[in-house]
Amino acid sequence: MVTLNDILIAQSRIKNVAHKTPILTSSTFNDLTGLNVFFKSENFQKIGAFKIRGAYNKISSLNEKERKVGIITHSSGNHAQGVALSCKILNTRAYVVMPSNSTQKKVEAVKSYCAEVIFCGETTDDREKATQELIDKYGYTFVHPYDDDFIIAGQGTVALEIFDELKDLDYIFIPVGGGGLISGCSIVTRSISPNTKVIGVETEDANDCYQSFKKKELVKLNSTNTIADGMRTLSVGRRNFEIIMKYVDDIVTVKDDDVIEMMKFFLERMKIVVEPTGAVASAALLKNVLSLKNKNVCAIISGGNVDLKILNQWIG
Amino acid sequence: MVTLNDILIAQSRIKNVAHKTPILTSSTFNDLTGLNVFFKSENFQKIGAFKIRGAYNKISSLNEKERKVGIITHSSGNHAQGVALSCKILNTRAYVVMPSNSTQKKVEAVKSYCAEVIFCGETTDDREKATQELIDKYGYTFVHPYDDDFIIAGQGTVALEIFDELKDLDYIFIPVGGGGLISGCSIVTRSISPNTKVIGVETEDANDCYQSFKKKELVKLNSTNTIADGMRTLSVGRRNFEIIMKYVDDIVTVKDDDVIEMMKFFLERMKIVVEPTGAVASAALLKNVLSLKNKNVCAIISGGNVDLKILNQWIG
């Protein structure tokens, strides 16, 4: 299992690549919720999301031969951009398998970091099959988006920065997709600030981790359709689940409408653009799902990559 | 004329009320422009714009009798919110004269700070007349949005923060509405960093200061219809013009379309919400109207208060 030391090493690897992102506050949000909330704002991270941390930590740890042959991943989201930019910085070829129905914007973003895009069918099986074929043929190294020790260690650096700035946190609320961010951050929290409770947050439609946590076994959904596209993974990873069961205090859920309300607050009151997945942890505070009072709470904003046209439809 | 000392006193007055706002950078913007740009981000200021600085400096400097009788201003924009919040903090009655066609959002914002809204006709004459009648009747103290030494000194504190963080700036680009911000900031620049050139920026449709600067006499427009609503003042103030002629190096203009392009960049790439007026100075860098190369430049983002529905229409 990943240790605090692995995460400290990751921090030294990424320090000249990833930003140390700001922690924002809003007196209006505090008045609304009766809490003292700190927003760790990874929407201001390189590529617009925390994923650069894990991707760079992983790829910079590969040996020269692996990097010479090239890296492959399948993703239509922020992980693809994290891998693409990391490879660009490390002068390594990146191959990204994306569903043929990916939006033009997402494809362009990945290509802008010089990665090669390979289109495949629209299901998870299609993606995995296309990726495996390329690995078998060319020997590329696969970089998993969350179920990987180096990825977990890289994402955990978010929490190192949080506890570097904030003492006496009662709670830390973290969005859960595949589980990379929460597993890395919960290891740090348990080591550095053992009294801080770690809460994972999902949307109701993507509540696989919530179900897994309650049943104490890994649950896989058949499908999800939440607006929080970073949470459309059908289950968390095996490594991630093990860490979550060991270190996370609770998993809660919010509705997609709560997420929209939160994104609107971010835009109108805090003047920041947050993607749906990035607003999920904060939405749990806006709705105060745990009925907390007068607590010091950090919510992680995981990213800000959202198509403005789609955003308009939600908030219009 | 306002001195650096007046601005230092203003800084000590406002220090527990106004935020010290962040200075943001974007490697993508630097790559696009060939410049090294720092964005002083007053969209993260209390009330969402720099106007709280001048308003609080002015109102906190009034004597007890004046504050007991009450404060009046006419504005449908950020100044109204600045006055309203300052009065709320100082436990003083605020009266804001607003045109009867003001949007519901703007009226609500002012009321949310406990100010009393008085509606009037839609022209500048209507506003001034309605305000004067109330002053004559009740003896309220009028707080001008820009043509006032205390307002100018308060707005100048933006530049104190800039030069506190940034050394060796070649240029500072500042939006020009009534001239409060640029006059305060140019005094600071000339005193603290005399080699930094001060450039004012307007939109073409609201180019009264550009014309005034070139003709060396105060020009008043008949009307303006720019999307930069903070620039719809028909001329800069007399005090402001005097300072601008003395300390500002040049005034340039951009098109409304450039402003929209800049707002879109802020949203998509930098994940921040900027109002049209707030994007004007940066738009002059995006379009590089002065053909600068390899320079250290600061652009002031004056505010982020924009109706999301209207924003959608522009960027959609």
Side-chain angles (χ1 to χ4, degrees):
Chain A
M1 195 181 278
V2 175
T3 65
L4 179 64
N5 198 45
D6 296 325
I7 301 172
L8 289 166
I9 293 168
Q11 190 177 39
S12 69
R13 278 203 199 96
I14 69 168
K15 75 164 184 257
N16 294 323
V17 171
H19 295 307
K20 185 169 177 180
T21 51
I23 292 175
L24 306 180
T25 59
S26 161
S27 52
T28 309
F29 193 79
N30 290 346
D31 289 346
L32 269 175
T33 57
L35 300 167
N36 191 24
V37 180
F38 302 90
F39 300 96
K40 174 66 172 172
S41 302
E42 286 289 287
N43 50 333
F44 292 125
Q45 187 51 270
K46 282 261 176 77
I47 72 139
F50 71 95
K51 293 276 187 176
I52 183 72
R53 296 173 183 264
Y56 190 83
N57 185 48
K58 173 72 180 182
I59 297 164
S60 65
S61 305
L62 296 175
N63 65 39
E64 212 170 307
K65 194 188 152 203
E66 289 167 316
R67 273 160 52 187
K68 203 170 170 187
V69 176
I71 306 306
I72 193 164
T73 196
H74 54 71
S75 162
S76 60
N78 295 330
H79 175 65
Q81 292 188 49
V83 167
L85 178 58
S86 298
C87 284
K88 187 184 175 195
I89 295 167
L90 292 162
N91 205 16
T92 300
R93 289 295 303 163
Y95 302 88
V96 179
V97 176
M98 297 180 85
S100 53
N101 62 346
S102 301
T103 63
Q104 185 68 9
K105 268 244 144 71
K106 287 185 173 178
V107 175
E108 275 169 19
V110 171
K111 284 186 174 172
S112 76
Y113 299 120
C114 309
E116 190 169 314
V117 173
I118 300 107
F119 291 103
C120 67
E122 296 168 20
T123 70
T124 309
D125 280 353
D126 292 336
R127 285 203 225 181
E128 286 175 359
K129 199 172 156 236
T131 306
Q132 195 55 52
E133 280 173 11
L134 289 162
I135 293 170
D136 292 344
K137 197 165 174 188
Y138 299 107
Y140 302 144
T141 298
F142 180 62
V143 176
H144 197 282
Y146 45 88
D147 197 354
D148 179 291
D149 287 347
F150 286 88
I151 295 287
I152 292 169
Q155 323 301 31
T157 61
V158 174
L160 288 179
E161 291 177 14
I162 291 169
F163 291 108
D164 191 41
E165 273 192 60
L166 302 175
K167 312 297 171 198
D168 303 319
L169 273 187
D170 298 304
Y171 287 85
I172 178 168
F173 278 59
I174 305 174
V176 183
L181 183 64
I182 194 170
S183 45
C185 288
S186 66
I187 291 165
V188 170
T189 306
R190 213 41 76 233
S191 307
I192 293 186
S193 182
N195 293 327
T196 303
K197 287 195 158 51
V198 179
I199 311 295
V201 192
E202 293 182 310
T203 52
E204 285 181 357
D205 191 64
N207 70 349
D208 59 280
C209 189
Y210 171 85
Q211 289 190 45
S212 303
F213 190 80
K214 300 296 171 190
K215 288 188 185 162
K216 299 190 172 103
E217 60 180 47
L218 198 51
V219 172
K220 189 174 177 178
L221 301 178
N222 291 318
S223 69
T224 70
N225 193 30
T226 173
I227 61 162
D229 52 344
M231 294 187 174
R232 288 188 197 142
T233 42
L234 301 175
S235 75
V236 296
R238 294 229 155 260
R239 281 174 188 76
N240 312 92
F241 182 61
E242 192 187 341
I243 298 168
I244 288 166
M245 289 312 294
K246 191 165 177 190
Y247 293 132
V248 170
D249 294 282
D250 204 357
I251 307 280
V252 299
T253 61
V254 295
K255 294 180 196 304
D256 275 9
D257 281 349
D258 303 334
V259 176
I260 291 172
E261 195 180 331
M262 192 65 230
M263 283 196 290
K264 210 166 168 177
F265 183 93
F266 279 132
L267 286 165
E268 289 188 330
R269 305 304 300 242
M270 292 179 67
K271 317 298 178 192
I272 61 174
V273 179
V274 176
E275 64 184 77
T277 308
V280 167
S282 309
L285 299 175
L286 182 68
K287 295 293 152 183
N288 209 344
V289 293
L290 286 182
S291 305
L292 306 177
K293 267 184 194 169
N294 296 318
K295 299 291 183 188
N296 294 325
V297 186
C298 179
I300 299 179
I301 295 174
S302 54
N305 292 329
V306 54
D307 190 309
L308 295 183
K309 279 188 188 148
I310 300 174
L311 185 65
N312 287 351
Q313 290 165 13
W314 290 327
I315 63 176
Chain B
M1 195 180 280
V2 175
T3 64
L4 179 64
N5 198 45
D6 296 327
I7 301 172
L8 290 165
I9 293 169
Q11 190 178 38
S12 69
R13 278 202 200 96
I14 70 169
K15 73 164 185 255
N16 294 324
V17 172
H19 295 308
K20 185 169 176 179
T21 51
I23 292 175
L24 306 180
T25 58
S26 160
S27 53
T28 309
F29 193 79
N30 290 346
D31 289 345
L32 270 176
T33 58
L35 299 168
N36 192 23
V37 180
F38 302 90
F39 300 96
K40 175 65 172 171
S41 302
E42 287 286 297
N43 51 332
F44 292 125
Q45 187 51 269
K46 283 261 177 78
I47 72 141
F50 71 95
K51 294 277 188 176
I52 183 72
R53 296 174 183 263
Y56 189 83
N57 186 48
K58 171 73 178 183
I59 296 163
S60 65
S61 305
L62 296 175
N63 65 41
E64 212 168 307
K65 195 188 150 202
E66 289 168 316
R67 273 160 53 187
K68 201 169 172 189
V69 175
I71 306 305
I72 192 165
T73 197
H74 54 71
S75 162
S76 60
N78 295 330
H79 175 65
Q81 292 187 50
V83 166
L85 178 57
S86 298
C87 283
K88 187 183 175 196
I89 294 166
L90 292 162
N91 204 17
T92 299
R93 289 296 302 163
Y95 301 90
V96 179
V97 176
M98 296 179 86
S100 52
N101 63 346
S102 301
T103 63
Q104 186 69 10
K105 268 244 144 74
K106 288 185 173 178
V107 175
E108 276 169 17
V110 170
K111 283 185 175 172
S112 76
Y113 298 120
C114 309
E116 190 169 314
V117 173
I118 300 106
F119 291 104
C120 66
E122 295 169 21
T123 70
T124 309
D125 280 354
D126 291 337
R127 285 204 224 180
E128 287 175 358
K129 198 170 156 238
T131 306
Q132 194 55 51
E133 280 173 10
L134 289 162
I135 292 170
D136 292 344
K137 198 165 173 186
Y138 299 108
Y140 302 144
T141 298
F142 179 62
V143 176
H144 196 281
Y146 45 87
D147 197 354
D148 179 291
D149 286 347
F150 286 88
I151 295 288
I152 292 169
Q155 322 302 32
T157 60
V158 174
L160 288 179
E161 291 176 14
I162 290 170
F163 291 108
D164 191 41
E165 273 193 61
L166 302 174
K167 312 297 170 197
D168 304 318
L169 272 188
D170 298 306
Y171 287 85
I172 177 168
F173 278 60
I174 306 173
V176 183
L181 183 64
I182 195 171
S183 45
C185 289
S186 65
I187 292 166
V188 170
T189 307
R190 214 42 75 233
S191 308
I192 292 185
S193 183
N195 293 327
T196 303
K197 287 197 160 47
V198 178
I199 311 295
V201 193
E202 293 182 309
T203 52
E204 285 180 358
D205 191 62
N207 71 348
D208 59 280
C209 189
Y210 172 84
Q211 289 189 44
S212 302
F213 190 80
K214 299 297 172 189
K215 288 188 184 162
K216 299 188 171 109
E217 61 180 45
L218 198 52
V219 171
K220 189 174 176 178
L221 302 178
N222 290 319
S223 69
T224 69
N225 193 29
T226 173
I227 60 162
D229 52 344
M231 293 187 175
R232 287 187 199 144
T233 43
L234 302 175
S235 74
V236 297
R238 292 228 155 260
R239 281 174 188 75
N240 313 93
F241 182 61
E242 192 187 340
I243 298 168
I244 288 167
M245 288 312 293
K246 193 166 175 188
Y247 292 132
V248 171
D249 293 283
D250 205 358
I251 307 282
V252 298
T253 62
V254 295
K255 295 180 197 303
D256 275 10
D257 281 349
D258 303 333
V259 177
I260 290 171
E261 195 180 331
M262 191 65 231
M263 283 196 290
K264 210 165 169 179
F265 183 92
F266 280 132
L267 286 163
E268 289 189 329
R269 306 304 301 242
M270 293 179 66
K271 317 298 179 191
I272 61 174
V273 178
V274 177
E275 64 183 77
T277 308
V280 167
S282 309
L285 299 175
L286 184 68
K287 294 295 152 181
N288 208 344
V289 293
L290 287 183
S291 305
L292 306 177
K293 268 185 193 166
N294 296 318
K295 299 291 183 188
N296 293 325
V297 186
C298 178
I300 299 180
I301 295 174
S302 54
N305 292 329
V306 54
D307 190 310
L308 294 183
K309 280 186 187 149
I310 300 174
L311 185 64
N312 288 351
Q313 290 166 13
W314 290 326
I315 62 175

